[in-house]
Amino acid sequence: MNKKKDNRVILLIHGFKRGNENDFEYLEDPLMRFNLPIINFEYYDNYDKKTLNWKLFFKKISKQMEELKDNEIIVVGYSIGAIIAIYLENYYPNIIQVISIYPAFKIYLFDWLKRLKDLYFKRKRLKKKIGKERFNKLNEAAKKNKIVEKYPVKITRNINIFRSKLRKKIKNININKTTLILSEIDEIVHYKKTYKYINRFNISEKIIFFNLSHYSAMKDGQNLRNFIISEIKRFNFDK
């Protein structure tokens, strides 16, 4: 491959973490073929309470971008990390490419709640909103779902505040730099509402669809991984 732009780096930005799992476990090895530094940017740690604040998330982003100010950056973001990737492209001109995988602009409220208990709605408000019977069923499902234990209420609230503020700060999606990937069977991201949201930027026809589950996309999606690699290659090495 043609080794141009020696100051390029690949920045990986995770989503809402299940424990401290790595969203890019199955992508990192293929990315190594580009011989570029790979940075796994962690904007919070589930097990470190000091990091569970949306204001700190933004501070960590600023610090990371300051460290990379002399680099040209290829950003690969997943879920909420996919929104961060688009946000970065809006504010940092040294972002040369963004791959936004399953951006969580809009989420399925109740599927999300099954995993995250009451999200950042107060329980009384939620019960009133959906009715006592449905609330009790939802609460029972949450108790049975062991994955709930990995989501502290504090991080749940803060990540949603963070997600909301990120969304408001995005003024544009530069399709010349950005590849958007959605799934019609995503159990977390509401793809129709996300599609509608993205359409405000008049680029919905540019969306790529890979119909894989939200949580298993990287693990099960060999074609998705190949596509991401081909996009980076096409954009950075085939010119």
Side-chain angles (χ1 to χ4, degrees), residues 92-108:
Y92 295 93
N94 58 327
I95 302 291
I96 61 172
Q97 184 183 16
V98 168
I99 298 178
S100 180
I101 308 162
Y102 295 5
F105 286 115
K106 302 289 184 179
I107 60 174
Y108 285 106

Side-chain angles (χ1 to χ4, degrees), residues 159-170:
I159 203 70
N160 278 282
I161 294 171
F162 179 54
R163 188 173 62 91
S164 176
K165 290 185 178 296
L166 281 169
R167 199 169 53 211
K168 291 177 181 177
K169 289 177 179 292
I170 292 172

Side-chain angles (χ1 to χ4, degrees), residues 104-236:
F105 286 115
K106 302 289 184 179
I107 60 174
Y108 285 106
L109 177 62
F110 299 115
D111 282 345
W112 189 255
L113 284 167
K114 288 176 185 177
R115 294 171 175 81
L116 308 185
K117 295 182 180 176
D118 61 353
L119 202 60
Y120 62 93
F121 289 109
K122 291 182 179 178
R123 296 177 72 83
K124 289 182 180 179
R125 179 182 167 192
L126 179 62
K127 188 181 291 188
K128 184 177 180 180
K129 184 180 180 71
I130 68 174
K132 183 177 179 180
E133 184 178 353
R134 190 170 185 184
F135 174 86
N136 288 339
K137 288 181 179 179
L138 189 64
N139 196 45
E140 193 60 34
K143 288 179 181 178
K144 292 178 180 179
N145 193 338
K146 293 182 180 180
I147 201 167
V148 172
E149 298 170 6
K150 296 183 179 181
Y151 294 102
V153 173
K154 185 175 181 180
I155 185 60
T156 302
R157 291 172 178 156
N158 274 280
I159 203 70
N160 278 282
I161 294 171
F162 179 54
R163 188 173 62 91
S164 176
K165 290 185 178 296
L166 281 169
R167 199 169 53 211
K168 291 177 181 177
K169 289 177 179 292
I170 292 172
K171 307 301 181 184
N172 180 49
I173 299 178
N174 186 341
I175 202 62
N176 294 319
K177 291 184 178 182
T178 305
T179 301
L180 290 153
I181 302 171
L182 291 180
S183 169
E184 294 183 10
I185 63 170
D186 194 323
E187 73 276 26
I188 298 299
V189 174
H190 194 306
Y191 97 91
K192 287 185 178 179
K193 290 183 178 180
T194 297
Y195 187 91
K196 184 178 180 180
Y197 172 84
I198 291 172
N199 196 39
R200 66 192 285 193
F201 302 105
N202 298 314
I203 59 170
S204 58
E205 72 280 359
K206 300 291 186 178
I207 297 172
I208 306 297
F209 283 92
F210 280 89
N211 285 332
L212 297 162
S213 165
H214 192 87
Y215 288 133
S216 65
M218 285 297 162
K219 178 181 178 181
D220 299 334
Q222 178 68 53
N223 290 339
L224 172 59
R225 297 197 299 272
N226 290 343
F227 175 75
I228 292 167
I229 297 302
S230 67
E231 278 293 282
I232 295 175
K233 180 177 182 294
R234 178 181 67 82
F235 194 90
N236 291 275

